[in-house]
Amino acid sequence: FGPDGNLYVANFGNGDVLRITMDGTVQPFVTIPGDNNGHLTYHDGLFYVAARDANQIYTVTMDGEVELFAGSGERGIVDGSLLEAQFSLPNDVVVDPTGRYLYVNDVVDASGFSDTSPMVLRRIELPTPAGTSSWPGLQATPFRVTSVGPNPSGSFATIAFELDRSMQVDLTVFDLQGRVVHEMADAKLSPGAHEVRWAGRDRSDRRVVPGVYFYRLETPAGSQSGPIHIVR
Protein backbone atom coordinates (compact mmCIF):
# COMPACT_ATOMS: atom_id res chain seq x y z
CA PHE A 1 0.00 0.00 0.00
CA GLY A 2 1.09 3.56 -0.69
CA PRO A 3 0.51 6.46 1.72
CA ASP A 4 -2.54 7.46 -0.37
CA GLY A 5 -4.31 4.21 0.60
CA ASN A 6 -4.06 2.72 -2.89
CA LEU A 7 -2.46 -0.62 -3.70
CA TYR A 8 0.59 -0.62 -6.00
CA VAL A 9 1.50 -3.81 -7.88
CA ALA A 10 4.60 -4.70 -9.91
CA ASN A 11 3.72 -6.63 -13.07
CA PHE A 12 5.97 -9.68 -13.58
CA GLY A 13 5.07 -9.85 -17.28
CA ASN A 14 6.57 -6.48 -18.20
CA GLY A 15 7.99 -3.34 -16.61
CA ASP A 16 4.65 -1.82 -15.60
CA VAL A 17 3.70 -0.80 -12.08
CA LEU A 18 -0.07 -0.58 -11.61
CA ARG A 19 -2.14 1.39 -9.14
CA ILE A 20 -5.33 -0.18 -7.78
CA THR A 21 -7.58 2.42 -6.20
CA MET A 22 -9.88 1.84 -3.26
CA ASP A 23 -12.86 1.45 -5.61
CA GLY A 24 -11.10 -1.35 -7.52
CA THR A 25 -10.01 0.68 -10.55
CA VAL A 26 -6.71 -0.50 -12.09
CA GLN A 27 -4.57 2.29 -13.53
CA PRO A 28 -1.08 2.39 -15.10
CA PHE A 29 1.33 4.19 -12.77
CA VAL A 30 4.86 3.97 -14.22
CA THR A 31 6.99 1.72 -16.42
CA ILE A 32 10.32 0.44 -15.11
CA PRO A 33 13.17 -0.23 -17.61
CA GLY A 34 13.36 -3.91 -18.57
CA ASP A 35 10.57 -6.31 -19.43
CA ASN A 36 10.17 -8.14 -16.14
CA ASN A 37 9.67 -6.67 -12.67
CA GLY A 38 10.18 -8.37 -9.35
CA HIS A 39 8.54 -7.05 -6.20
CA LEU A 40 8.24 -3.52 -4.88
CA THR A 41 8.15 -1.96 -1.42
CA TYR A 42 7.33 1.51 -0.12
CA HIS A 43 9.33 3.48 2.42
CA ASP A 44 9.59 7.15 3.37
CA GLY A 45 8.19 8.67 0.18
CA LEU A 46 9.67 6.18 -2.30
CA PHE A 47 8.78 2.88 -3.92
CA TYR A 48 11.77 0.58 -4.44
CA VAL A 49 11.21 -1.70 -7.44
CA ALA A 50 13.33 -4.70 -8.42
CA ALA A 51 13.83 -4.69 -12.20
CA ARG A 52 14.68 -8.36 -12.76
CA ASP A 53 15.59 -8.30 -16.44
CA ALA A 54 17.41 -4.97 -16.11
CA ASN A 55 19.41 -6.37 -13.14
CA GLN A 56 18.81 -3.12 -11.27
CA ILE A 57 16.81 -1.46 -8.48
CA TYR A 58 14.76 1.67 -9.21
CA THR A 59 13.03 4.24 -7.03
CA VAL A 60 9.68 5.81 -7.87
CA THR A 61 8.18 8.88 -6.22
CA MET A 62 4.46 9.26 -5.58
CA ASP A 63 4.48 11.68 -8.55
CA GLY A 64 5.71 8.88 -10.82
CA GLU A 65 9.34 9.97 -11.20
CA VAL A 66 11.50 6.91 -11.94
CA GLU A 67 15.20 6.96 -11.04
CA LEU A 68 17.93 4.33 -11.08
CA PHE A 69 18.92 3.50 -7.50
CA ALA A 70 21.37 0.58 -7.69
CA GLY A 71 22.95 -1.78 -10.19
CA SER A 72 25.24 -1.36 -13.18
CA GLY A 73 22.89 -3.30 -15.45
CA GLU A 74 25.36 -6.14 -15.93
CA ARG A 75 24.23 -9.52 -14.62
CA GLY A 76 26.31 -10.90 -11.79
CA ILE A 77 26.77 -11.10 -8.04
CA VAL A 78 29.23 -8.28 -7.41
CA ASP A 79 29.22 -5.96 -4.41
CA GLY A 80 30.33 -2.35 -4.67
CA SER A 81 28.99 1.18 -4.81
CA LEU A 82 25.31 1.62 -5.71
CA LEU A 83 25.79 2.09 -9.44
CA GLU A 84 28.73 -0.32 -9.79
CA ALA A 85 27.26 -3.33 -7.96
CA GLN A 86 25.86 -6.14 -10.09
CA PHE A 87 22.61 -8.04 -9.55
CA SER A 88 21.65 -11.35 -11.07
CA LEU A 89 17.85 -11.53 -10.99
CA PRO A 90 16.74 -9.24 -8.13
CA ASN A 91 13.26 -10.24 -7.04
CA ASP A 92 11.92 -9.45 -3.57
CA VAL A 93 12.81 -6.14 -1.89
CA VAL A 94 12.00 -4.91 1.62
CA VAL A 95 13.17 -2.13 3.93
CA ASP A 96 14.07 -3.27 7.43
CA PRO A 97 12.13 -1.85 10.42
CA THR A 98 14.89 0.68 11.23
CA GLY A 99 14.67 2.24 7.77
CA ARG A 100 18.41 1.91 7.40
CA TYR A 101 18.74 -1.05 5.02
CA LEU A 102 17.08 -2.29 1.85
CA TYR A 103 17.23 -6.09 1.56
CA VAL A 104 17.20 -7.68 -1.91
CA ASN A 105 16.53 -11.34 -2.68
CA ASP A 106 18.84 -12.27 -5.58
CA VAL A 107 19.70 -15.43 -7.55
CA VAL A 108 23.20 -16.78 -6.85
CA ASP A 109 23.67 -18.38 -10.29
CA ALA A 110 23.98 -15.50 -12.74
CA SER A 111 23.48 -17.82 -15.72
CA GLY A 112 19.74 -18.20 -15.20
CA PHE A 113 16.88 -19.13 -12.91
CA SER A 114 15.06 -22.33 -12.07
CA ASP A 115 12.96 -23.66 -9.19
CA THR A 116 16.12 -25.05 -7.61
CA SER A 117 18.31 -21.96 -8.07
CA PRO A 118 20.05 -20.95 -4.83
CA MET A 119 19.15 -17.50 -3.55
CA VAL A 120 21.09 -14.90 -1.57
CA LEU A 121 19.85 -12.02 0.57
CA ARG A 122 21.80 -8.85 -0.20
CA ARG A 123 21.79 -5.67 1.89
CA ILE A 124 21.99 -2.06 0.72
CA GLU A 125 22.52 0.75 3.21
CA LEU A 126 20.04 3.49 2.37
CA PRO A 127 21.24 7.11 2.14
CA THR A 128 20.86 9.16 5.29
CA PRO A 129 17.96 11.62 4.93
CA ALA A 130 19.17 15.03 3.77
CA GLY A 131 20.06 17.44 6.56
CA THR A 132 20.25 14.74 9.23
CA SER A 133 22.97 12.57 10.72
CA SER A 134 20.81 9.55 11.45
CA TRP A 135 17.89 7.55 10.07
CA PRO A 136 14.46 8.49 11.46
CA GLY A 137 13.65 4.79 11.63
CA LEU A 138 16.39 4.26 14.21
CA GLN A 139 14.24 6.10 16.71
CA ALA A 140 11.95 3.64 18.44
CA THR A 141 8.45 3.64 16.97
CA PRO A 142 5.67 3.58 19.56
CA PHE A 143 3.95 0.62 17.86
CA ARG A 144 4.99 -2.52 15.99
CA VAL A 145 3.43 -5.68 14.54
CA THR A 146 5.27 -8.60 16.14
CA SER A 147 3.70 -11.57 14.35
CA VAL A 148 0.98 -12.66 11.95
CA GLY A 149 0.07 -16.31 12.02
CA PRO A 150 -0.58 -18.86 10.96
CA ASN A 151 0.30 -17.47 7.56
CA PRO A 152 -0.71 -19.10 5.22
CA SER A 153 -3.86 -20.14 7.03
CA GLY A 154 -6.89 -22.24 6.21
CA SER A 155 -9.28 -20.41 8.48
CA PHE A 156 -7.93 -17.63 10.69
CA ALA A 157 -4.96 -15.39 11.43
CA THR A 158 -3.91 -13.70 14.64
CA ILE A 159 -2.16 -10.33 14.40
CA ALA A 160 -0.01 -9.55 17.42
CA PHE A 161 1.29 -6.04 18.04
CA GLU A 162 2.79 -3.93 20.80
CA LEU A 163 2.12 -0.35 21.85
CA ASP A 164 4.59 1.75 23.83
CA ARG A 165 1.86 4.14 24.87
CA SER A 166 -1.90 4.42 24.87
CA MET A 167 -3.19 5.28 21.38
CA GLN A 168 -6.02 4.88 18.91
CA VAL A 169 -5.66 1.71 16.82
CA ASP A 170 -7.53 0.86 13.62
CA LEU A 171 -6.88 -2.64 12.30
CA THR A 172 -8.50 -3.47 8.97
CA VAL A 173 -8.31 -6.27 6.40
CA PHE A 174 -8.43 -5.41 2.66
CA ASP A 175 -8.63 -7.52 -0.47
CA LEU A 176 -6.40 -7.15 -3.53
CA GLN A 177 -8.76 -4.52 -4.94
CA GLY A 178 -8.30 -2.36 -1.85
CA ARG A 179 -11.82 -3.03 -0.59
CA VAL A 180 -12.45 -3.32 3.14
CA VAL A 181 -13.13 -6.96 4.00
CA HIS A 182 -13.27 -6.77 7.79
CA GLU A 183 -12.67 -4.17 10.49
CA MET A 184 -10.83 -5.97 13.26
CA ALA A 185 -10.27 -3.16 15.73
CA ASP A 186 -11.21 0.50 16.14
CA ALA A 187 -10.44 1.58 19.69
CA LYS A 188 -8.03 3.37 21.96
CA LEU A 189 -5.82 0.68 23.47
CA SER A 190 -3.53 0.67 26.47
CA PRO A 191 0.26 0.18 26.29
CA GLY A 192 1.57 -3.38 26.03
CA ALA A 193 1.04 -6.48 23.91
CA HIS A 194 -2.23 -7.07 22.06
CA GLU A 195 -3.62 -9.78 19.81
CA VAL A 196 -6.54 -9.54 17.39
CA ARG A 197 -7.87 -12.60 15.59
CA TRP A 198 -9.39 -12.52 12.11
CA ALA A 199 -11.59 -15.56 11.49
CA GLY A 200 -11.27 -15.36 7.70
CA ARG A 201 -14.73 -13.86 7.31
CA ASP A 202 -16.03 -10.65 5.79
CA ARG A 203 -18.19 -7.96 7.39
CA SER A 204 -21.31 -10.04 6.63
CA ASP A 205 -19.75 -13.01 8.47
CA ARG A 206 -19.28 -14.96 5.24
CA ARG A 207 -16.13 -17.02 4.76
CA VAL A 208 -13.77 -15.28 2.34
CA VAL A 209 -12.53 -17.01 -0.78
CA PRO A 210 -8.92 -18.28 -0.79
CA GLY A 211 -6.38 -15.68 -1.81
CA VAL A 212 -4.12 -12.91 -0.60
CA TYR A 213 -5.45 -10.26 1.76
CA PHE A 214 -3.74 -7.39 3.53
CA TYR A 215 -3.99 -6.11 7.07
CA ARG A 216 -3.33 -2.48 7.90
CA LEU A 217 -2.58 -1.33 11.44
CA GLU A 218 -3.13 2.44 11.62
CA THR A 219 -2.22 4.68 14.55
CA PRO A 220 -1.64 8.43 14.97
CA ALA A 221 2.10 7.62 14.87
CA GLY A 222 1.96 5.83 11.51
CA SER A 223 0.80 2.59 9.95
CA GLN A 224 2.06 -0.89 9.12
CA SER A 225 0.71 -3.33 6.52
CA GLY A 226 1.36 -6.89 5.45
CA PRO A 227 -0.13 -9.87 3.60
CA ILE A 228 -2.37 -12.63 4.94
CA HIS A 229 -2.63 -15.75 2.77
CA ILE A 230 -5.91 -17.69 3.07
CA VAL A 231 -5.79 -21.21 1.58
CA ARG A 232 -8.07 -24.22 1.57
Side-chain angles (χ1 to χ4, degrees):
F1 283 99
D4 56 1
N6 296 319
L7 179 67
Y8 291 80
V9 180
N11 192 338
F12 280 17
N14 55 35
D16 291 346
V17 173
L18 306 176
R19 175 170 52 210
I20 304 175
T21 63
M22 296 296 286
D23 64 2
T25 302
V26 180
Q27 305 168 337
F29 180 49
V30 297
T31 299
I32 304 299
D35 294 326
N36 179 240
N37 287 331
H39 296 265
L40 61 78
T41 190
Y42 176 82
H43 174 72
D44 197 24
L46 292 173
F47 291 99
Y48 293 87
V49 186
R52 286 166 50 93
D53 279 1
N55 311 306
Q56 294 170 316
I57 309 295
Y58 284 81
T59 60
V60 183
T61 68
M62 289 301 300
D63 294 329
E65 297 179 3
V66 179
E67 184 175 343
L68 176 61
F69 175 68
S72 68
E74 296 183 44
R75 176 165 290 182
I77 301 291
V78 178
D79 293 336
S81 64
L82 286 177
L83 299 183
E84 293 177 350
Q86 294 179 12
F87 295 94
S88 178
L89 281 171
N91 189 33
D92 200 9
V93 288
V94 65
V95 177
D96 82 323
T98 70
R100 182 169 183 173
Y101 297 107
L102 177 73
Y103 286 89
V104 181
N105 188 23
D106 204 1
V107 176
V108 173
D109 184 0
S111 64
F113 175 78
S114 70
D115 291 340
T116 58
S117 297
M119 311 294 287
V120 63
L121 191 64
R122 305 178 69 185
R123 186 177 73 179
I124 301 173
E125 188 169 20
L126 296 177
T128 305
T132 68
S133 59
S134 63
W135 290 262
L138 294 179
Q139 302 170 7
T141 57
F143 71 97
R144 67 201 62 86
V145 174
T146 55
S147 67
V148 179
N151 196 13
S153 170
S155 57
F156 71 92
T158 298
I159 301 174
F161 57 95
E162 295 179 353
L163 305 178
D164 291 347
R165 62 173 184 260
S166 177
M167 65 177 69
Q168 175 70 27
V169 170
D170 296 326
L171 185 56
T172 310
V173 175
F174 297 85
D175 63 15
L176 284 173
Q177 285 71 48
R179 297 173 297 201
V180 175
V181 174
H182 190 76
E183 295 165 338
M184 301 172 63
D186 180 5
K188 188 171 185 177
L189 301 180
S190 60
H194 299 269
E195 288 187 351
V196 179
R197 175 169 165 158
W198 177 45
R201 295 181 176 274
D202 63 18
R203 289 188 289 182
S204 299
D205 201 33
R206 296 171 298 192
R207 185 173 295 280
V208 299
V209 299
V212 179
Y213 297 84
F214 293 87
Y215 71 86
R216 182 189 298 165
L217 177 70
E218 294 187 79
T219 77
S223 65
Q224 187 170 343
S225 304
I228 301 174
H229 300 262
I230 298 296
V231 297
R232 292 288 183 267

